[in-house]
Amino acid sequence: GGTTYSYPGAQQGGSNSGTPSSSTPPPPAEEMSSGWWFVTVFFVTVFLYVTIGCIYNFKTRGVSGINACPHLSFWREVPGLVRDGVSVSRTVCTRLMRSIWPFNRMSYTEVS
């Protein structure tokens, strides 16, 4: 006799193999989350920005190589700007933690 399976798309009767019938549609594909949409759009945009910018600079200004990159002087400044941002953030956080840390307000008396 045939075996009855209780999961969706299960083969009814016949073989005991447990394989779905050939008429069973495949499970629906999972949609991308909003985070993956953002990452995908971001990298596609960066790729197009660099590619189109390099082509534009090559065609209109006649530059090639690294000099064809769009806004090259800005990109060369980015590491220093990031370093400055990290330094300022660290200073602000350190001062904030020192001002709210409860042990800063406590005093002690030396025991002789």
Side-chain angles (χ1 to χ4, degrees), residues 9 34 45 52 61 63 65 77 79 97:
S34 56
T45 303
I52 293 170
R61 297 187 178 142
V63 293
E77 291 177 11
M97 290 305 295

Side-chain angles (χ1 to χ4, degrees), residues 1 11 17 23-24 37 40 42 46 63 68 70 80 90 92 97 102-103 107-108 111-112:
Q11 181 178 354
S17 67
S23 64
T24 303
W37 273 109
T40 302
F42 175 79
V46 168
V63 293
R90 184 181 303 148
V92 168
M97 290 305 295
F103 301 112
S107 60
Y108 70 95
V111 178
S112 313

Side-chain angles (χ1 to χ4, degrees), residues 34-55:
S34 56
W36 278 115
W37 273 109
F38 175 78
V39 169
T40 302
V41 169
F42 175 79
F43 282 109
V44 167
T45 303
V46 168
F47 175 78
L48 291 173
Y49 163 76
V50 171
T51 304
I52 293 170
C54 286
I55 292 169

Side-chain angles (χ1 to χ4, degrees), residues 15-87:
S15 168
N16 289 344
S17 67
T19 59
S21 65
S22 60
S23 64
T24 303
E30 292 185 28
E31 294 184 18
M32 285 194 332
S33 68
S34 56
W36 278 115
W37 273 109
F38 175 78
V39 169
T40 302
V41 169
F42 175 79
F43 282 109
V44 167
T45 303
V46 168
F47 175 78
L48 291 173
Y49 163 76
V50 171
T51 304
I52 293 170
C54 286
I55 292 169
Y56 175 82
N57 286 337
F58 177 75
K59 297 279 185 180
T60 60
R61 297 187 178 142
V63 293
S64 61
I66 192 76
N67 293 324
C69 290
H71 304 103
L72 182 61
S73 60
F74 167 77
W75 293 112
R76 285 186 170 157
E77 291 177 11
V78 167
L81 295 171
V82 169
R83 219 172 306 125
D84 292 346
V86 168
S87 176

Side-chain angles (χ1 to χ4, degrees), residues 87-103:
S87 176
V88 168
S89 297
R90 184 181 303 148
T91 301
V92 168
C93 290
T94 301
R95 287 181 182 168
L96 179 64
M97 290 305 295
R98 285 182 182 159
S99 69
I100 64 172
W101 192 252
F103 301 112

